[in-house]
Amino acid sequence: MKKNSKIDEHSVGIVTPQYFTFAEEPESFEFLCGRKLSPITLAYETYGTLNRKRDNAVLICHALSGNAHAAGYHHEDDPYPGWWDAYIGPGKAFDTDKHYIICSNVIGGCDGSTGPSTINPATGRPYGLSFPMITVRDIVQAQRHLIRHLGINSLQAVAGGSLGGMQALKWAILYPGMVRCVIAIATSASVSAQAIAFNEVGRQAIFKDPSWNNGDYYDRHSPDSGLSLARMIGHITYMSEKLMHEKFGRRLQDSAVSHFDFDQEFLVETYLHHQGFKFVNRFDANSYIYITKAIDYFDLGKDYEGMISAFEHVSADFLVVSFTSDWLYPSTQVKEIVKALRVNGKNVVYTDIDTDKGHDAFLVKNRPLERNIANFLKSHSIKDDELD
Amino acid sequence: MTNLIENIGYDLIVNEIPDSARVLDLGCGSGLLLQRLKNEKNVTGYGVEISEQSVSQCLERGVYCYQGDIDEGLSDYKDNSFDYVILNQTLQSTKRPDFVIQEVLRIGLHSIISFPNFAYYVTRLQLLCRGIMPKNRLLPYEWYETPNIHLITVKDFRMFCTQRKYPIKKEIHFSISDSGGAVIRKFNPNISAEYGFFVLNGAGITSSNSVRP
């Protein structure tokens, strides 16, 4: 096989996932719900070099379906790079020549971190639904164990979109002394009833799949039809109407004439089925229901008795971004975060980027977003140098 | 032309603002003024700007900026939470200038308000002699594309402040010289000055004595 031609001077190249295990017996990790688990493993990847002062680290937080593999390729023949490869690498928005980038799979996930599909050492069987309910706070607290393990006391930035943005906000609130910058993209202090509704329909698709078997399916056929349907529903919410129209319109898959039957005929149908099909090969149905529930429960205003008091003690500087065509995390909701920061007199840049790409606009190439992130990090790095 | 418009009155404003002040610039454009204030006066500055491209430029300059309408969210700020609030060449394009001024005085201890003076003699002559909507370097737009929807004169603004009992701290009306610098017009500024420039004292104007929009 020939060398991967996509590995150029702006790529982090071949990367290897790493694993960190903590809370080993007799210690344990306590979830917000009160349950305790031992041990906990987090899968993570790092790109770039930690400097001597150990202060150039940037933590990247992934969204619902992401994982620790944010950039680069796992091997020479790997057809796809990490999920945020367009943004991470030498000379890119998160410049690995300057920053040490860390990305870990969330607790409850299914890509190497402890989650429902992990074997419970007490029973020798996967946790399944006996896994504790997870919250964004639990995700962040687990990440903090990893960051301390890496010998980092102060993060240059915590960044993420959607659920990743929620984690970044939570980091700034929980550990104000550890976070110098927050980059929160297409995110919210609490999702809307509409977003919860879509998540619930996705979960019901999984629950209604007979193969789901109350979450106990790891030794038999997995609930693929339920999970793929959940993914299809999700995908609709990640795109704008205009993007769907431009991408598919009413075009047919392989003929100019309608067959008048129930086969997938419209291009948009084929696309959604393809997305659902791809997803079941890489994601666990139980992780999907746990993580979507964590998104639904996230509510900073409720947890801190109001949005203003939630952000009262943060010390980080913020870059907050929304997208004009994002109807899942609309600009009006993103602005609520900015409003709370402004009232508290915090340093915040807010921009509403004009795009047709919908909620997923942060996952694809997006020049204004890339430039804004790069400039924000650049101006804050200068400030740090002055502290010497 | 855009460059000329962007720099209007910057020297006067930089002169007026004390070291280490907390400043809010409404309609801050690409953040040039806030960057100057940061460099020359070590201010803590914030901007509000409607255009996405301008906010991007602010980021490039390391200026904190909120993308939105200038009066958006002003009501969130606490009374007197800024030392200076700047409305530079912006007031004439706001929908409700009276409410904007009131809010600016409520949230700022001082405010600097500068605008093109519609009573400037060149503008007057264009309307009087030629009978057309004035178009000059002060008001560089055609009538159908102008963002200036509430044109004011130095005299109008002074009367407005008197009626509302807004204390005027200073008036430095000026014109722009050929070299681009500000020339202060002390004699009959309502005719001789291209731009009105007021410094108002907003310390006494708080939520308890202002009318909510």
Side-chain angles (χ1 to χ4, degrees):
Chain A
M1 280 285 198
K2 69 177 171 56
K3 201 175 172 311
N4 194 329
S5 58
K6 289 177 198 140
I7 301 180
D8 57 14
E9 74 271 26
H10 296 298
S11 170
V12 297
I14 306 288
V15 294
T16 316
Q18 300 174 75
Y19 301 90
F20 164 59
T21 300
F22 63 100
E24 285 171 291
E25 299 271 15
E27 283 167 34
S28 62
F29 180 83
E30 188 174 350
F31 290 76
L32 184 63
C33 65
R35 297 266 313 279
K36 290 176 181 173
L37 226 60
S38 174
I40 301 288
T41 296
L42 289 187
Y44 68 100
E45 291 186 7
T46 68
Y47 324 108
T49 316
L50 187 61
N51 65 10
R52 220 149 26 121
K53 289 184 340 192
R54 311 184 85 81
D55 63 1
N56 67 332
V58 174
L59 176 67
I60 304 286
C61 304
H62 70 73
L64 169 59
S65 64
N67 54 25
H69 184 36
Y73 297 83
H74 278 160
H75 50 83
E76 291 286 352
D77 309 318
D78 201 344
Y80 301 109
W83 59 271
W84 226 9
D85 192 77
Y87 291 75
I88 303 166
K92 291 183 185 172
F94 294 97
D95 191 343
T96 48
D97 288 339
K98 293 175 188 145
H99 303 290
Y100 178 64
I101 313 288
I102 307 157
C103 182
S104 69
N105 187 210
V106 296
I107 191 168
C110 51
D111 253 311
S113 290
T114 303
S117 57
T118 306
I119 303 289
N120 179 353
T123 64
R125 289 172 45 75
Y127 284 107
L129 288 200
S130 75
F131 196 80
M133 290 303 290
I134 58 161
T135 61
V136 171
R137 195 196 83 166
D138 300 322
I139 293 171
V140 167
Q141 285 190 331
Q143 283 165 346
R144 183 168 169 270
H145 282 273
L146 170 66
I147 298 303
R148 298 307 275 268
H149 162 71
L150 295 170
I152 295 158
N153 295 319
S154 169
L155 288 160
Q156 163 74 58
V158 182
S162 198
L163 168 63
M166 292 174 171
Q167 294 165 54
L169 298 177
K170 193 72 182 180
W171 258 98
I173 293 170
L174 274 184
Y175 309 115
M178 280 183 81
V179 185
R180 272 134 55 215
C181 295
V182 165
I183 300 172
I185 307 158
T187 194
S188 176
S190 62
V191 294
S192 65
Q194 192 185 29
I196 296 171
F198 278 111
N199 279 343
E200 174 60 7
V201 177
R203 284 188 295 267
Q204 286 300 327
I206 292 167
F207 298 154
K208 296 276 157 63
D209 184 334
S211 300
W212 181 61
N213 192 32
N214 274 313
D216 183 9
Y217 53 80
Y218 294 105
D219 54 357
R220 64 193 84 171
H221 190 263
S222 49
D224 291 352
S225 63
L227 180 60
S228 74
L229 179 52
R231 180 62 166 172
M232 288 165 73
I233 294 159
H235 244 282
I236 300 169
T237 66
Y238 307 149
M239 288 188 280
S240 71
E241 192 275 333
K242 194 167 178 201
L243 177 68
M244 267 203 178
H245 175 74
E246 279 167 4
K247 218 168 164 172
F248 315 110
R250 294 185 51 86
R251 284 193 297 283
L252 303 176
Q253 179 57 33
D254 49 17
S255 69
V257 205
S258 295
H259 292 124
F260 291 105
D261 60 22
F262 292 109
D263 288 343
Q264 298 162 34
E265 203 175 29
F266 289 102
L267 211 51
V268 64
E269 295 175 312
T270 316
Y271 172 81
L272 286 177
H273 280 275
H274 175 67
Q275 291 299 329
F277 176 76
K278 265 201 327 193
F279 194 57
V280 297
N281 288 323
R282 67 173 187 88
F283 216 83
D284 175 48
N286 281 340
S287 279
Y288 194 88
I289 62 174
Y290 273 88
I291 299 172
T292 52
K293 206 69 189 177
I295 293 171
D296 295 353
Y297 278 133
F298 186 70
D299 190 339
L300 291 179
K302 187 166 166 258
D303 292 350
Y304 296 89
E305 288 164 0
M307 282 289 283
I308 312 290
S309 54
F311 289 98
E312 197 180 339
H313 301 294
V314 302
S315 59
D317 297 332
F318 286 73
L319 168 62
V320 182
V321 181
S322 58
F323 302 119
T324 51
S325 57
D326 184 352
W327 54 277
L328 193 60
Y329 289 72
S331 307
T332 46
Q333 273 181 31
V334 180
K335 278 185 184 179
E336 291 295 313
I337 301 164
V338 184
K339 175 178 161 176
L341 288 165
R342 287 175 82 194
V343 174
N344 280 305
K346 307 296 178 187
N347 291 334
V348 53
V349 177
Y350 165 70
T351 178
D352 189 30
I353 293 178
D354 189 20
T355 170
D356 294 335
K357 296 268 168 19
H359 180 58
D360 269 357
F362 71 97
L363 292 172
V364 294
K365 272 199 160 298
N366 185 328
R367 279 307 295 156
L369 179 61
E370 292 164 44
R371 203 173 50 237
N372 288 344
I373 292 172
N375 284 326
F376 184 67
L377 286 175
K378 200 169 101 192
S379 60
H380 285 80
S381 303
I382 293 166
K383 201 156 76 179
D384 293 334
D385 292 344
E386 287 165 358
L387 288 173
D388 284 351
Chain B
M1 199 47 130
T2 35
N3 255 344
L4 180 69
I5 287 172
E6 172 138 82
N7 294 315
I8 289 167
Y10 279 17
D11 291 337
L12 294 176
I13 296 170
V14 173
N15 248 331
E16 198 56 37
I17 290 181
D19 281 341
S20 307
R22 215 178 132 76
V23 177
L24 179 67
D25 184 3
L26 298 174
C28 65
S30 67
L32 202 59
L33 175 62
L34 283 168
Q35 189 187 33
R36 265 193 72 180
L37 286 167
K38 199 166 121 185
N39 293 342
E40 295 174 36
K41 293 292 178 88
N42 192 31
V43 306
T44 307
Y46 302 90
V48 176
E49 172 58 44
I50 190 89
S51 128
E52 184 197 324
Q53 284 69 30
S54 296
V55 178
S56 254
Q57 289 172 304
C58 285
L59 260 168
E60 225 171 309
R61 297 201 154 104
V63 164
Y64 293 103
C65 184
Y66 174 86
Q67 189 189 332
D69 274 323
I70 68 157
D71 53 349
E72 197 179 308
L74 288 189
S75 57
D76 299 330
Y77 286 118
K78 295 173 190 128
D79 291 356
N80 294 334
S81 48
F82 293 94
D83 297 314
Y84 279 81
V85 181
I86 301 167
L87 268 174
N88 189 31
Q89 317 306 323
T90 311
L91 186 65
Q92 74 279 3
S93 55
T94 60
K95 284 194 201 92
R96 286 304 301 263
D98 50 346
F99 288 138
V100 171
I101 294 167
Q102 183 180 279
E103 277 296 272
V104 157
L105 291 172
R106 182 186 66 77
I107 65 174
L109 286 168
H110 304 91
S111 67
I112 294 175
I113 300 176
S114 181
F115 50 81
N117 172 29
F118 199 71
Y120 177 56
Y121 76 95
V122 173
T123 304
R124 288 189 194 210
L125 286 175
Q126 279 185 324
L127 191 59
L128 182 71
C129 303
R130 297 185 58 206
I132 56 164
M133 280 307 286
K135 189 187 164 195
N136 46 51
R137 68 173 187 179
L138 202 58
L139 303 159
Y141 305 99
E142 292 291 348
W143 62 269
Y144 48 82
E145 59 174 15
T146 180
N148 301 329
I149 52 174
H150 286 111
L151 290 156
I152 359 160
T153 69
V154 166
K155 204 168 162 183
D156 281 324
F157 194 81
R158 206 182 282 137
M159 278 160 58
F160 175 82
C161 291
T162 311
Q163 277 166 13
R164 304 272 177 129
K165 300 191 171 62
Y166 294 155
I168 297 171
K169 193 183 160 196
K170 210 185 260 186
E171 297 185 33
I172 324 172
H173 312 299
F174 66 97
S175 290
I176 301 286
S177 73
D178 291 338
S179 60
V183 183
I184 294 160
R185 301 285 190 214
K186 282 190 177 145
F187 180 73
N188 209 348
N190 200 39
I191 289 179
S192 65
E194 288 180 297
Y195 298 94
F197 189 106
F198 289 84
V199 182
L200 305 188
N201 186 341
I205 293 146
T206 60
S207 31
S208 57
N209 57 21
S210 53
V211 192
R212 296 294 286 192

